Amino acid sequence: MAKTAGATKMAYYFGKTKTEGKSTQKQLLGGKGANLADMTSIGLPVPPGFTITTEVCGLYYQHKQKLPPGLMDEVRKNVGILEKETGKKFGDSKSPLLVSVRSGAAASMPGMMNTILNLGLNDEAVVGLANATQNERFAYDSYRRLINMFGDVVSGVDHEHFEVAFDKIKAKYKAKLDNEVPLEGMIELCEAYKDIYKKHFGKPFPQDPLEQLEASIEAVFKSWMQPRAVKYRQVENITGLMGTAVNVQSMVFGNMGDDCGTGVAFTRNPSTGENKFYGEFLVNAQGEDVVAGIRTPLPVAEMPKWNKAIHKALLEIKDLLEKHYKDVQDIEFTIERGVLFMLQTRNGKRTGAAAVKIACDMVKEKLIDEKTAVQRIPAGDLTQLLLPSFTPAAKAAAKKDGKLLTVGLPASPGAAVGKLAFTAAEAVERTHAGEKVLLVRKETNPEDIDGMHLAAGILTSTGGMTSHAAVVARGWGRCCVAGAGEVQIDEKGRKIKVGGKTFTHNDVLSIDGSTGEVMVGEIATQEPKLSGDFATVMGWADKYRTLKVRTNADTPADAKRAREFGAEGIGLCRTEHMFFEGDRIVAMRAMILADNLEDRKKALKNLLPLQRKDFVGLFTAMKGLPVTIRLLDPPLHEFLPHDAKAQGELAKELNVSPAFVKNRVAQLHEQNPMLGHRGCRLAVTYPEILETQVTAIVEAAIACVEKKIDAQVEIMIPLVGTAAELKMLRDQTQAVIDAVKEAKKFTGKLNILIGTMIEIPRAALTADQIGEQADFFSFGTNDLTQMTFGFSRDDINTFLPDYINNELLAQDPFQSLDVTGVGQLVEMGVTKGRSVKKGLKCGICGEHGGDPASIKFCHTVGLDYVSCSPFRVPIARLAAAQAALATAK
Ligand code: ADP
Ligand code: MG
Ligand code: MG
């Protein structure tokens, strides 16, 4: 949809004169721009300005990175309105207009481009600013900040050069801190900075404010495609945006004296959800100083001591914003000479725990209703509530042993244990190598995100609760302790020093993101429970969902855990997992290696009682709920040892020659085992395997019924591609059921269904024929995806990253169901199956069963249930409710 530049409105003004944007225009104005307009509209004190649309950013890239024609005319027009409204003029020697230039896309991408403040200053305007404010030092301080920021962000002059010059001036005036440099020093510094700028950029620092503005706008657009922004969108799965907007806003100053200040706050605690105004502020400071962690800010609760009226005004604004947006807000504010200004508001990022509490509280406060509450909690974020915490006993013992090193800020809850990694790259590398690491940094920045993403936890020594590390970690539910000031980090030496002790990259620490505690060694963790607000939310979810949620479980313990999390049955029990335990594998291997029927039957006889016991355990744990048992699925080769040594040991155990083992293993080798002798094909070749498994199942079911345990059994035949296959195996299964009943003289009622997995494209295509033979369908979307794409799921690592990087695929189809392609087969399977059997029970048992987007699809095509790993069950329940509510509208 290429638009011609002339036809597009490129800038939207906000201020007293007029406000053109609306809160609903986030796509066009970015989140920051839309809300600046919105806050202006509801009468909040917002410094006026205008927003250049995200469309213009799109045009910029269409025009081979040139600002589209007509843009600067619109910019000049808006600057004109701004000058009139503020009574100030760009570059004026009496009362100069200064602006900030801020990026802001529809989705929040914290810190992707540094904001440029004080734009509009030049050699003349700086005198004007000094006169207007009666504060010469402040004026030159502002000017040197602009040259530095503009030089760094717009013209690519390394910040280091400016630092060196600053240190020289500080030395000259014997100043330790920036703010001890006197006026003369600041004037000299501005000259030095201009020289540095010219030397490294090749041209002098632009004196024309409009030229500064044009270059800054372009820099914002450029920042959209810089590698770290691209990477951030990738990690966060942000797609489909036009670009970033640019906000040009008149400056207010928090750094003009002790009646000034700046701060950031959340209307409620974003970490716990507690309904308490939560934030930090710094007296006599400018915007970024709080986030950058230059000085340690004060909590807003201390503000009344400094300025009671401002604190009161802020609390009023907080209430007003929550009533208006009906959600937690994350705000930025600045106080200029005792007057409060709002600079930003957006929905506050919060932890999963906070999301749950806030949703429940807001329902109680009648701000939102249950349905909104259910829809507001990102289902995937519940993972955080299902994360382990340190066992109180283990932690108490560790503390008694003097293992507590220090306490930082509880920036993002959870418990993390790991060795120390000192750079993001190191964290990435060591995690991939299978280690658990904590990323230890002075403070993180956007370039660290991949390391932060992979690390088990994050520990920083500076920075507050709203520092980069804290905000990003909370967004991901990564455990983070921030601002642990006693931790001295030696990045080069790969060690830290705390309380006189030194720890290297090989030492293990435990950090508690809920308390800020940093401890030596590995402390035991525990699984969470479903209670309180979490249980309330689950109750609401159950009220609105229609999809059932089952679990994939192979052991009674997993089944029990899943049941506690609300699972309504087992959707997939992979019987092969049972064979790896203890000495069962020996019996299994004996069965596989048997080269004649008799030996195989003998081995199977040994396996039968073990399987029966497993099934009794499962049916008991899930009594009253359906349990789907899949018959043996993987290629037999997978169960065998492959190196000579292990083969030799096996030969000894089975009392056969090593050569025999070696030959059988070689015989069983397949070129493409995933497409080879596996699934129902095993049962076709070795009916005795099916016979043994079904016998174990039926005997277990009978044993349960006799103990008055309600066993609801679903026998599932995997990898079926034709109706004939299923018919034959179904008949065999039924025959075994009858035979066992007969042998046991059992005359009671057994609940046993015989169904199949739909995981081969041909099965979906012929689901009407297959449906005639099946009591139920379960979509095995792992294999279905593998076979539909022709992507070997064990080998995708070699090429899938390139597919994602080149946007050939929006996401990994094994994580989130490919609705467009694989989804068609699922839909076809359901429709065709139900065309021959009305109401045929259909579910999904692939990994996708726990993915919120895939669950939405499952709801839409009318599946009866999804099945996922135990700890994703609550996520699936919530996602199912969200799907139902979203489609009910
Ligand atoms: P980010 O997206 O990284 O938060 P912002 O654009 O919000 O960047 O700006 C960075 C800092 O500069 C913030 O603290 C903000 O409050 C401050 N700031 C931005 N514009 C102005 C302005 N017009 N006057 C005063 N401070 C500003
Ligand atoms: Mg920004
Ligand atoms: Mg901001």
Side-chain angles (χ1 to χ4, degrees), residues 32 103 111-113 115:
K32 199 179 281 170
S103 67
M112 278 307 138
M113 192 200 91
T115 295

Side-chain angles (χ1 to χ4, degrees), residues 727-883:
K727 173 154 181 18
M728 175 176 131
L729 298 174
R730 182 192 174 103
D731 290 348
Q732 277 177 25
T733 304
Q734 190 58 54
V736 176
I737 296 174
D738 295 342
V740 174
K741 274 166 107 175
E742 171 93 31
K744 296 250 160 207
K745 301 208 168 24
F746 180 79
T747 50
K749 197 176 145 15
L750 287 184
N751 286 313
I752 302 183
L753 302 180
I754 304 169
T756 185
M757 283 181 87
I758 303 289
E759 53 186 334
I760 288 190
R762 194 181 188 284
L765 295 166
T766 59
D768 43 355
Q769 294 167 21
I770 290 179
E772 303 270 14
Q773 307 299 331
D775 299 334
F776 65 87
F777 279 174
S778 176
F779 290 87
T781 46
N782 295 345
D783 264 310
L784 193 58
T785 299
Q786 167 164 273
M787 301 204 208
T788 304
F789 274 96
F791 284 175
S792 158
R793 66 199 225 224
D794 300 309
D795 302 307
I796 45 168
N797 282 346
T798 51
F799 58 87
L800 195 70
D802 295 328
Y803 273 66
I804 305 283
N805 288 340
N806 289 310
E807 297 193 11
L808 299 178
L809 285 171
Q811 66 237 65
D812 178 350
F814 291 98
Q815 275 174 28
S816 199
L817 190 81
D818 161 48
V819 169
T820 324
V822 181
Q824 279 194 49
L825 288 170
V826 174
E827 192 167 4
M828 180 188 297
V830 175
T831 313
K832 288 199 164 194
R834 287 184 181 157
S835 74
V836 294
K837 247 180 215 159
K838 212 172 153 241
L840 179 71
K841 183 161 22 166
C842 293
I844 174 182
C845 63
E847 288 314 301
H848 303 101
D851 168 62
S854 312
I855 291 170
K856 186 165 180 198
F857 171 78
C858 293
H859 173 86
T860 323
V861 296
L863 293 192
D864 296 297
Y865 68 86
V866 297
S867 188
C868 57
S869 59
F871 89 102
R872 293 196 74 83
V873 165
I875 296 168
R877 285 161 76 192
L878 183 57
Q882 290 172 343

